[in-house]
Amino acid sequence: VRTRTTVTFERNLADDPQVRFTGSGKQVTELTVLVNQRRQNSDGEWVDSEATRLVVRTFKNLAENIVESLAKGIGYPCTGP
C-alpha cells in the first residue's frame, strides 16, 4: 500500500520563478521557498531554526500563470504531495 503525504505552507518566494522547457516543449516553472521553523530553546524562548529550502515544480497552465503573477518576495500558499 502506498500512502501520500500532503504538505501545505505559505511563505515568500526566495527567488523569481525559473522557467524551463522539457524536451517535448512543455513549460516547467520552479519556485524556491525558504521556510523557517520555530522551536523553543532550553530557556523556553522561541527561536528560528535554520531555513529549509523547498523547490516547487509546476506544470501546464499553472506554470504559465505563476510566471505572470509571482516574483521574489511575494507570499503564496502551496499545497501538494
Side-chain angles (χ1 to χ4, degrees):
V1 174
R2 188 174 178 188
T3 61
R4 293 181 117 184
T5 301
T6 299
V7 177
T8 300
F9 59 90
E10 182 172 352
R11 290 290 186 242
N12 294 342
L13 295 183
D15 294 307
D16 288 331
Q18 301 296 309
V19 178
R20 66 179 179 82
F21 293 88
T22 65
S24 61
K26 295 180 181 176
Q27 182 175 331
V28 178
T29 301
E30 292 186 351
L31 309 171
T32 302
V33 181
L34 297 176
V35 178
N36 290 68
Q37 293 184 345
R38 298 193 43 86
R39 63 175 180 81
Q40 281 186 306
N41 64 17
S42 58
D43 296 326
E45 298 171 336
W46 286 97
V47 295
D48 289 330
S49 63
E50 188 173 327
T52 300
R53 177 186 165 106
L54 302 174
V55 176
V56 178
R57 289 183 185 91
T58 61
F59 305 89
K60 299 183 181 181
N61 291 340
L62 181 58
E64 295 172 13
N65 291 337
I66 282 175
V67 171
E68 296 174 10
S69 304
L70 298 179
K72 180 178 179 177
I74 293 177
Y76 78 101
C78 182
T79 300

